[in-house]
Amino acid sequence: MSSLAQSHLRETFELNIGPQHPATHGVLRIKVVMDGEYIDRAEPILGYIHRMHEKMGENRTWNQFWPNMGRLDYLSAMAYNHCYAGLMERAAGIEVPERAEYIRVITAELNRIQSHLLGFGAYIMDLGGFTPLMYAMDEREQILDLLESVTGSRLTYCYFRFGGVYNDIDDDFITGTRAFLKRFRPQIPMYHKLVTGNAILMDRLIGVGPVSAEMCRKYGATGPVLRGSGVNYDIRRNEPYSVYPELDFDIPVYKECDSMARYMVRMDEMVQSCRIIENALNKLPEGPVMAEKVPKALKPPNGDYHYAVEAARGTFSMRTVSDGTNTSYRMRLRSPTYSNVSLFEEASRGMLLSDALAFLGSLDPVIPEMDR
Amino acid sequence: MDRAKIKRELENLAAESLPAEPPQEEAPVEVQAEAEGEDKAKAKAKKEDDAPRKNGLIETEYAKRGTHLDVQINPDQVVKAAEILDGEGMTLEMVTGVDWLKEGQLEVIYDYSYPGGQLFRVVVRARVDRNNPDIPTVCHLYGGANWHERETWEMLGINFVGHPQLEHFLLPEDADFYPLRKDFKS
Amino acid sequence: MNELIRLLSYMICIAAFLGLNLAYLGWVERKGAGHIQRRTGPKDVGPYGLLQPLADGLKLMSKQLIVPANADRPLYMCAPILTMVPAVLLFVAIPFGEHLVPREFNFGLLMMFAFASVGGMSILIGGWGSGNKYSLIAGARAVSQNVAYEIPMLITAITIVMITGSMDLNEIVRQQGGFFWNWNVFRLDKSILMPVSFLVFFICSLAETNRTPFDMGECEGELVAGYHTEYGGMGFGLFMMAEYANLVIGCSLTTVLFLGGWQCPFGLFPGPHWFLLKMYFLIWCFVWIRWTYPRTTFWGLLNLSWKYLIPFSLVNLLLTALFIKVF
């Protein structure tokens, strides 16, 4: 911060970034008190796309709540599906066939690549480079086509079921996924060549938006934000669910704590997701994709249940309180961006406006998921 | 992070939270393993259905519940619990509430997890009176609690005493209702 | 009388040339962006989307002009006009060919810089007059940017004046005749830093025309649309056209000062075609850069100018003076 910003000769003004603003990726509003180009205080204001999913959970039967899971984070809806499926299987004690678990992992990881691709493109677009978005969209489109062929929808998936998945994947999907991986793998080094090494980009990202590991812990930040702060924490490894323990992949961790580290974590995660998918395709067992004897009207026993998965943006966890009926007594959705963005106010203090927006982009917020 | 230490200190905390003169037939600390006989557990669950759960620490089975420790304490002890867990490097994953209309109580739930190598999840609960839902804030320990508490206040009307900014957040500014309360009619 | 007819016909020619350029540079940019981004760009209106500029123009012209309630009305209204005026005016001094120059001034270069700085002012007026905070920030940014980059640009231009001993643009071109090593960019005998100072001048003209990576005035994604956030219809259209007009001016000036203007690289058939060829190549470079690079920060932008470009151009000035004196 300059000495001018600290001196008493200051005149501040308020600036509303959003709810309609190109940098906020949706309807996030940030009330900024600016001192020239410096930020005195940036307070995120939420709720512009609040839909009260938690109340919906109390009003619908367990099965009727499925479509809501696709509408929280529209970019990595498969992970949310996974969490809900896992939660209810834990509550009702349903055993899932292995093939279904593998299919879940494959689709969820494809979804993660897709999410990170859009995150990458949109982030560079925030920084003024429009072209990478088009490159990313090109690849993303193929993933969406693949997922559409098996789930029937392009973004708001409702593919998982209690005890398995809705339908089996076919050979076209498998060969298509393999072909996609073959095509996509060399793209990432190309992105690095085109974008990451760019002097202007490095100037804008390196050292911008420092978030220490301690700060992440205090704010409950997870996902690439936490891993960009040097903490090796990934639910897929630390709290293994599904068949992740049997698959071979690394958790990318960067110690720099800046926007560049978070960006690099996302880029590396795409490579690791490719590994996971390839591995899972090789190990894919034969068999049914739905558990037998799953009751139509689920009535999990009384009590609290908790389940967490690693969504593209961090830990997504659900806590439900069941009272033994066919609806939930209380459904709590803990979305990762909600916690990630909550540290924005503290971390952005004293930043330049353009740096703060670069920092916000590196948190990769998805607003419908924050507001729920 | 020291699991044994957390368990011990939370156990002590739960013991302190019990009434000064505990009923003679009940043990001061209720340690209940889930691996108990099913019938027994069922009977217990049924019993708990009728009466609100008593303060105390339960070691839950991770595979069934998703948590390792489940402790219920008095509302004024949540800061102490947060201090213990903060000191051990745990992170506050979420704060939420449940409305127990029948019992006339509101429950505040704090989910803690450990962002390190080990897997350890702790749930801290506290029940407040529905007519006087005051509970101290843990904002000064966990910055992330700010938004979670604000949301819980907004949705359930639980008053976090000492919270810096208990204003409307997700709901419109003129919302004068608490949508997640069970007696809320839309 | 003859002179009057000559000037009148030049005026018409310039207006036509400008109109064509303003309309079709937009098309070129969109096609170029499409090419760079693995897509087609405009293709539906007319063959290869060639009628797209007309459609855009019609759309912009048929829109209602809305003046925001908070705006300073006179300033708001005059800013788009004010940004167009210097851009059009500057064409008067540009030598398209040896005899194809509307008006030969012996201080053409000076006039260029004098009027070019009005452009920055009109952005400030637009930003201030809109009564919008984003516009105001953008306007303030654009002015400090223009001031910061005019200095190295002017100092670099002075080295050219020292080499040629003239401020007449046509005279500067005439002295670069013969083969391409006589172009100012390759005049290593006058200053060994000449190619670098060409780069400096090029970067400065990027910044002066408010193009990515230096589009601090517009800054889409940060300041919504910068100084023209509140402008719709033809108000916005004029700002956009002025951007392209400035682009043409900037590239023309670079061509004239460094790349030998209408001179042929091999001394054969000099003429306006060479001038246009070089100018459009530079414009293509601008388009290319815009769709390749992300935006710098405002801070990085000013740092680049004050810490690198200005000291460098001063050193270059001294070196050139030394070379001219010694050799």
Side-chain angles (χ1 to χ4, degrees), chain B residues 47-59:
Chain B
K47 216 174 105 192
E48 278 185 17
D49 242 13
D50 308 328
R53 190 186 137 185
K54 292 208 178 60
N55 286 356
L57 183 132
I58 301 174
E59 256 185 286

Side-chain angles (χ1 to χ4, degrees), chain A residues 201-367:
Chain A
L201 190 86
M202 295 201 331
D203 187 45
R204 290 214 59 182
L205 296 191
I206 292 176
V208 168
V211 176
S212 66
E214 179 64 10
M215 194 172 182
C216 283
R217 185 176 76 81
K218 291 284 186 189
Y219 278 90
T222 45
V225 181
L226 185 61
R227 289 194 285 279
S229 303
V231 180
N232 190 343
Y233 181 71
D234 189 314
I235 300 280
R236 290 175 294 175
R237 272 274 182 265
N238 293 64
E239 191 176 345
Y241 58 97
S242 196
V243 287
Y244 281 111
E246 290 156 41
L247 298 170
D248 180 29
F249 64 101
D250 297 323
I251 307 293
V253 177
Y254 283 79
K255 289 195 170 59
E256 287 81 4
C257 304
D258 54 5
S259 299
M260 187 54 136
R262 293 186 277 277
Y263 165 85
M264 285 304 290
V265 166
R266 290 200 181 91
M267 297 303 271
D268 287 4
E269 260 180 25
M270 286 198 270
V271 182
Q272 296 304 326
S273 289
C274 287
R275 266 179 79 188
I276 297 175
I277 295 168
E278 191 151 63
N279 216 315
L281 281 177
N282 289 339
K283 287 185 176 174
L284 187 70
E286 291 297 322
V289 293
M290 267 303 277
E292 283 163 26
K293 288 183 280 182
V294 177
K296 279 237 165 59
L298 218 57
K299 282 181 185 165
N302 274 4
D304 286 41
Y305 303 95
H306 181 273
Y307 200 81
V309 297
E310 185 74 22
R313 278 156 197 79
T315 306
F316 175 67
S317 62
M318 291 177 80
R319 166 170 287 284
T320 187
V321 180
S322 164
D323 57 353
T325 58
N326 62 352
T327 57
S328 162
Y329 189 75
R330 175 83 171 89
M331 180 81 80
R332 169 66 179 171
L333 312 162
R334 187 262 186 206
S335 51
T337 330
Y338 191 73
S339 295
N340 290 357
V341 173
S342 69
L343 59 75
F344 181 75
E345 182 170 345
E346 187 183 325
S348 67
R349 207 160 283 160
M351 264 187 200
L352 283 167
L353 177 66
S354 47
D355 282 350
L357 292 176
F359 169 47
L360 180 68
S362 79
L363 299 175
D364 196 11
V366 167
I367 314 303

Side-chain angles (χ1 to χ4, degrees), chain C residues 111-183:
Chain C
M111 185 202 143
M112 281 283 193
F113 278 96
F115 277 103
S117 43
V118 177
M121 197 182 75
S122 61
I123 290 180
L124 178 67
I125 289 177
W128 172 265
S130 296
N132 177 316
K133 285 169 188 167
Y134 293 122
S135 306
L136 181 60
I137 296 175
R141 281 182 177 186
V143 167
S144 36
Q145 173 186 351
N146 277 24
V147 169
Y149 279 84
E150 244 160 42
I151 298 166
M153 202 177 186
L154 204 57
I155 294 174
T156 314
I158 288 171
T159 56
I160 301 288
V161 173
M162 275 163 64
I163 290 168
T164 51
S166 169
M167 280 224 239
D168 184 345
L169 292 175
N170 219 357
E171 179 59 31
I172 291 174
V173 177
R174 256 181 229 121
Q175 290 199 13
Q176 303 178 53
F179 281 88
F180 59 84
W181 53 77
N182 284 333
W183 294 358

